[in-house]
């Protein structure tokens, strides 16, 4: 793991801190909107300046007199960022001018005795540079005119901010970090779980749905393994997204699922598996991510057995039967210690590979137990099976005619595969690849006579095998094995 110098971006609300944060990170991490108070939690990301790497922290707007919701929590998050930063950038709005809030923030920063640089934001061209002179009264010696929206003078700003900070990174062994996205509906306890794992108030928690808006990455080490937990905004129904910020938060959550190695789906055990929970679970499954289900707030449930709750959930969403499930309480910490072994198991399963030899032995055993049905005089033949990808594991069956694979038989093969290889918590993708008839010679009259005289099933299968020997593998048709509803007829 490498220790990087930390740069905190602070200022009053709505001066462009998140826009500057995104510009420095060269990614759209923080939600940017004209409304005040969009950023609430501390956001961390890695930045780079001419080969020099550092960590940048985005904070919410500081306004001691504001009566907005979560104002005290936002202020506390900003204070923590200031405390742990090696250098600080205060952002001001050149067009609004100097305000009392700017003066209050500057006084707080100057008391820290840390390097402070002033970013006079929203200066879009050289003709507006004179607007920065009104901020000299703040007492901050180093000032740089910038435009976060256009990316103007960002490198100059960073050079000024790190002028008194050592550029020599402390290089240690870099550990691979397992990325875990904590997802679920609003107000199911995602931020409470992250705070419990870190043993600090890292994320703002309240009983009000929608408290978390950005996707917050938190890295920490547990038993020599590095983890990055991504605390996400609660996914609401589309009709419940009344503000643009809610739509941005939902998009950030979907992106968090895509870049995570696996997901922890949190449910409110008092509500059970709702329709929105099913949609979120389906999103995780379609993204091909491993999944662990946490049934939170079990400490509030009275007079109900775990077995009954587990049975009802598996009946509601049978496609998540392979996912491990834990009954937890993020407040009391009940069963939270079981989470990390499951994360390692699910992550290992997503990386697992099975040799073609083992897969062919599995196919042989499965076919002996239960032969495919005969359909219109033809029987499905599975020549061999191979794994072609991981994350998620993907397998291909090479068969004679894909349309001969019935729903019941593909479910049989899927269940047999789960029984043998498990792949706990990981979705399995299975495809069928058939043969196409190309340049097949006409059978001779003698062969047609022999086929007409043959009435035994073994002779018929042997005849099919001889015909298939003239075929080539068809490379442009994949038949999804697990979720396909109808198989097209050839």
């Amino acid at each position: 793991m490498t220790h990087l110098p930390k740069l905190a971006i602070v200022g009053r609300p709505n001066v462009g801190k998140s826009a500057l944060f995104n510009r420095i990170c060269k990614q759209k991490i923080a939600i940017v909107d004209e409304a005040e108070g969009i950023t609430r939690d501390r956001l961390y990301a890695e930045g780079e300046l001419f080969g020099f790497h550092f960590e940048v922290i985005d904070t919410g707007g500081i306004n001691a007199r504001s009566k907005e919701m979560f104002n005290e929590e936002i202020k506390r998050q900003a204070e923590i960022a200031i405390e742990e930063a090696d250098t600080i950038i205060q952002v001001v709005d050149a067009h609004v001018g100097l305000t009392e809030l700017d003066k209050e923030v500057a006084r707080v920063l100057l008391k820290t005795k840390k390097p402070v640089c002033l970013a006079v934001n929203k200066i879009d061209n050289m003709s507006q540079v004179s607007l920065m002179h009104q901020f000299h009264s703040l007492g901050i010696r180093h000032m740089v005119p910038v435009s976060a929206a256009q990316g103007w003078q960002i490198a100059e700003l960073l050079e000024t901010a790190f002028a008194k900070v050592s550029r020599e990174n402390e290089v240690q062994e870099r550990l691979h970090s397992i990325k875990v996205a904590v997802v679920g509906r609003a107000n199911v306890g995602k931020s409470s779980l992250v705070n419990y794992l870190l043993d600090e108030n890292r994320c703002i928690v309240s009983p009000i749905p929608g408290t978390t808006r950005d996707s917050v990455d938190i890295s920490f080490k547990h038993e020599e393994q590095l983890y990055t937990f991504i605390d996400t905004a609660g996914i609401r129904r589309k009709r419940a997204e009344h503000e643009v910020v809610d739509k941005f938060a939902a998009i950030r959550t979907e992106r968090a699922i895509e870049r995570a190695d696996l997901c922890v789906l949190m449910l409110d055990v008092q509500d059970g598996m709702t329709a929105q929970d099913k949609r979120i679970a389906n999103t995780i499954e379609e993204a091909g991510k491993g999944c662990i289900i946490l049934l939170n707030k079990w400490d509030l449930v009275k007079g109900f057995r775990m077995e009954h709750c587990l049975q009802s959930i598996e009946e509601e969403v049978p496609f998540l039967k392979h996912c491990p499930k834990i009954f937890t309480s993020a407040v009391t910490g009940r069963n939270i210690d079981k989470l990390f072994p499951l994360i390692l198991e699910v992550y290992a399963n997503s990386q697992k590979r099975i040799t073609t030899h083992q897969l062919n032995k599995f196919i042989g055993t499965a076919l002996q137990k239960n032969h495919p049905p005969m359909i219109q005089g033809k029987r499905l033949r599975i020549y061999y099976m191979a794994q072609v990808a991981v994350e998620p594991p993907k397998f291909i069956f090479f068969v004679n005619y894909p349309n001969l694979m019935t729903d019941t038989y593909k479910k049989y093969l899927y269940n047999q595969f789960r029984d043998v290889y498990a792949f706990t918590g990981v979705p399995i993708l299975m495809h069928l690849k058939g043969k196409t008839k190309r340049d097949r010679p006409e059978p001779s009259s003698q062969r047609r006579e022999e086929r007409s005289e043959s009435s035994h099933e073994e002779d018929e299968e042997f005849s099919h095998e001889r015909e298939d020997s003239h075929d080539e593998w068809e490379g442009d048709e994949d038949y999804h094995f697990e979720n396909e509803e109808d198989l097209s007829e050839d």
Side-chain angles (χ1 to χ4, degrees):
M1 191 175 180
T2 303
H3 172 73
L4 299 176
K6 293 182 179 180
L7 165 68
I9 302 175
V10 298
R12 64 176 179 82
N14 205 27
V15 291
K17 297 183 298 299
S18 293
L20 180 61
F21 174 81
N22 289 345
R23 179 64 66 176
I24 293 174
C25 301
K26 300 177 183 177
Q27 300 179 63
K28 293 183 179 179
I29 298 175
I31 296 176
V32 178
D33 192 75
E34 294 180 357
E36 295 184 6
I38 300 300
T39 303
R40 291 172 176 172
D41 299 294
R42 307 193 308 275
L43 302 181
Y44 290 74
E46 187 172 325
E48 184 265 338
L49 176 68
F50 306 130
F52 168 66
H53 293 266
F54 57 91
E55 195 169 24
V56 57
I57 312 171
D58 186 24
T59 64
I62 301 174
N63 185 356
R65 296 186 293 274
S66 174
K67 295 183 180 179
E68 289 290 327
M69 191 182 304
F70 309 117
N71 180 61
E72 285 301 319
E73 290 85 353
I74 293 172
K75 181 183 175 184
R76 176 59 185 154
Q77 294 287 322
E79 290 172 350
I80 295 173
I82 294 169
E83 184 178 340
E84 65 182 37
D86 297 300
T87 183
I88 304 168
I89 293 177
Q90 180 182 353
V91 185
V92 294
D93 189 330
H95 294 282
V96 173
L98 184 62
T99 67
E100 286 298 321
L101 287 177
D102 292 327
K103 295 178 181 178
E104 293 177 8
V105 173
R107 282 196 291 268
V108 172
L109 298 182
L110 291 172
K111 288 179 181 178
T112 63
K113 304 300 182 182
K114 294 183 178 181
V116 180
C117 175
L118 187 69
V120 185
N121 193 25
K122 304 183 183 179
I123 294 182
D124 299 325
N125 51 64
M126 292 299 295
S127 63
Q128 299 177 352
V129 172
S130 59
L131 295 174
M132 66 181 288
H133 298 303
Q134 59 187 311
F135 297 99
H136 282 292
S137 60
L138 292 178
I140 298 176
R141 181 178 178 182
H142 303 287
M143 294 194 300
V144 181
V146 299
S147 173
Q150 299 183 20
W152 184 61
Q153 294 257 100
I154 302 300
E156 290 78 2
L157 174 65
L158 295 175
E159 284 280 4
T160 305
F162 285 103
K164 296 183 179 180
V165 177
S166 173
R167 298 291 187 93
E168 296 181 2
N169 292 340
E170 182 186 344
V171 180
Q172 299 176 359
E173 182 184 0
R174 279 187 175 270
L175 299 176
H176 171 69
S177 179
I178 300 177
K179 295 183 176 63
V180 182
V182 184
V183 299
R185 292 183 294 113
N187 204 30
V188 295
K190 300 182 294 297
S191 296
S192 297
L193 172 67
V194 173
N195 286 348
Y196 182 86
L197 293 174
L198 296 176
D199 195 23
E200 65 171 289
N201 293 326
R202 177 64 179 78
C203 302
I204 297 176
V205 176
S206 85
I208 302 172
T211 301
T212 302
R213 286 174 168 173
D214 292 289
S215 294
V216 183
D217 290 25
I218 302 109
S219 297
F220 63 97
K221 189 186 290 187
H222 177 77
E223 295 182 354
E224 301 306 316
Q225 174 61 53
L226 188 62
Y227 298 88
T228 300
F229 272 70
I230 309 172
D231 183 23
T232 63
I235 302 178
R236 306 185 182 192
R237 293 173 295 177
K238 292 295 182 182
R239 63 186 180 186
E241 295 175 351
H242 302 299
E243 301 179 14
V244 176
V245 175
D246 295 330
K247 298 183 185 296
F248 287 159
I251 293 172
R252 293 291 197 277
T253 300
E254 292 173 1
R255 289 179 180 173
I257 293 174
E258 292 175 2
R259 63 189 175 93
D261 295 314
L262 59 100
C263 297
V264 172
L265 174 59
M266 291 196 70
L267 309 179
D268 188 333
V269 73
Q270 301 174 103
D271 300 332
M273 179 68 74
T274 66
Q276 183 63 9
D277 291 325
K278 293 178 185 177
R279 280 190 283 270
I280 298 171
N282 191 57
T283 301
I284 297 172
E285 192 82 359
E286 288 179 350
K289 303 299 180 180
C291 182
I292 300 170
I293 299 177
L294 256 63
L295 299 146
N296 194 30
K297 305 184 182 181
W298 184 252
D299 56 315
L300 303 179
V301 176
K302 306 295 180 184
F304 204 76
R305 294 177 63 87
M306 287 185 182
E307 294 83 357
H308 298 159
C309 181
L310 200 60
Q311 182 180 358
S312 64
I313 289 175
E314 291 184 349
E315 290 175 355
E316 286 282 342
V317 280
F319 68 92
L320 289 183
K321 192 174 181 179
H322 63 273
C323 297
K325 302 166 185 68
I326 315 174
F327 290 85
T328 65
S329 171
V331 175
T332 64
R334 177 188 178 123
N335 289 337
I336 299 296
D337 58 322
K338 297 180 180 179
L339 179 60
F340 290 103
L342 285 176
I343 289 175
L344 294 175
E345 180 183 358
V346 172
Y347 180 73
N349 285 334
S350 69
Q351 308 285 327
K352 186 163 65 175
R353 282 191 176 273
I354 303 175
T355 65
T356 303
H357 174 69
Q358 291 175 307
L359 293 174
N360 289 335
K361 285 182 64 177
F362 159 76
I363 286 296
T365 304
L367 290 174
Q368 287 179 359
K369 288 182 180 178
N370 189 2
H371 287 285
M374 184 80 73
I375 300 176
Q376 296 180 352
K378 295 181 180 180
R379 189 186 298 276
L380 175 74
R381 296 181 64 85
I382 302 176
Y383 297 105
Y384 69 97
M385 177 182 179
Q387 183 174 359
V388 295
V390 295
E391 294 185 291
K394 181 179 178 181
F395 302 87
I396 292 183
F397 289 87
F398 292 87
V399 301
N400 53 351
Y401 300 107
N403 62 304
L404 295 180
M405 178 70 79
T406 62
D407 289 340
T408 53
Y409 200 74
K410 68 182 181 182
K411 288 179 181 177
Y412 161 74
L413 289 177
Y414 175 80
N415 291 332
Q416 288 290 308
F417 191 84
R418 284 283 188 193
D419 290 341
V420 175
Y421 296 110
F423 279 98
T424 303
V426 180
I428 299 174
L429 302 181
M430 293 182 174
H431 294 262
L432 299 175
K433 192 172 285 290
K435 288 184 175 182
T436 181
K437 298 177 182 179
R438 294 175 183 171
D439 303 326
R440 176 179 292 180
E442 286 292 331
S444 63
S445 59
Q446 181 180 0
R447 184 178 175 187
R448 287 198 298 269
E449 183 178 352
E450 290 175 356
R451 291 187 60 190
S452 63
E453 291 177 357
S454 175
S455 59
H456 294 91
E457 182 177 294
E458 292 182 359
D459 293 339
E460 185 172 357
E461 288 184 11
F462 178 70
S463 129
H464 288 164
E465 183 177 357
R466 290 181 61 191
E467 288 182 11
D468 291 337
S469 66
H470 296 282
D471 295 349
E472 296 179 6
W473 292 116
E474 184 176 20
D476 57 350
E477 281 193 85
D478 277 358
Y479 294 82
H480 194 279
F481 186 76
E482 186 175 354
N483 297 323
E484 187 181 56
E485 295 295 334
D486 299 315
L487 289 168
S488 58
E489 294 291 335
D490 284 355

